Amino acid sequence: MDSDYDLFEIVKVIRDFWLFDAESYQRQYSTTRSQPLAAGYYVVTWPETIRIRRFNKQASFHGPYKNRQDAQAFIYTMREHKYKLIKPHKRWALSLPNTGPIEEQKVA
């Protein structure tokens, strides 16, 4: 399990509306658009106000990535640039290769 588990989670989407979480449990997920995600690895983030982290419409899925290492590299890139992943709709979008739009917020 990742040391920053409370900030993000790397999951593997295996088929429509099903994924494996960081602890290898198979779970159902939902998205804000009610559309399934493409198979692959995703970095999942939640708004800071969410206490119980579920894979529902409050979660933001960043990806897909071909493998877990690529998803981890995305996290390292964000840390290197001192950006914090947040839920879309708070600030401006940043697009990185192999990802959908995400939001960024400079961390002091």
Side-chain angles (χ1 to χ4, degrees):
M1 185 164 25
D2 296 302
S3 61
D4 293 325
Y5 181 70
D6 58 330
L7 304 175
F8 64 85
E9 186 169 344
I10 296 176
V11 300
K12 182 179 182 183
V13 171
I14 54 173
R15 62 178 186 200
D16 291 357
F17 303 107
W18 286 95
L19 58 77
F20 283 115
D21 67 9
E23 297 173 336
S24 299
Y25 287 101
Q26 188 172 333
R27 306 218 184 259
Q28 284 190 292
Y29 71 87
S30 60
T31 62
T32 56
R33 296 182 185 158
S34 299
Q35 297 292 320
L37 299 170
Y41 289 84
Y42 289 81
V43 176
V44 184
T45 59
W46 295 267
E48 292 179 10
T49 57
I50 300 301
R51 293 184 60 185
I52 299 173
R53 316 255 181 202
R54 294 199 171 97
F55 301 106
N56 57 19
K57 295 177 183 191
Q58 296 172 329
S60 294
F61 295 84
H62 309 280
Y65 296 96
K66 292 179 186 178
N67 54 50
R68 192 177 200 304
Q69 292 80 10
D70 289 348
Q72 190 69 50
F74 170 74
I75 295 166
Y76 290 141
T77 299
M78 296 309 294
R79 285 182 182 153
E80 188 175 291
H81 293 286
K82 297 185 180 172
Y83 288 101
K84 180 179 177 186
L85 298 173
I86 61 172
K87 179 85 173 163
H89 78 285
K90 288 194 176 183
R91 294 262 177 165
W92 55 91
L94 168 71
S95 291
L96 294 175
N98 201 24
T99 68
I102 61 167
E103 296 296 319
E104 62 182 37
Q105 178 181 344
K106 195 75 168 185
V107 176

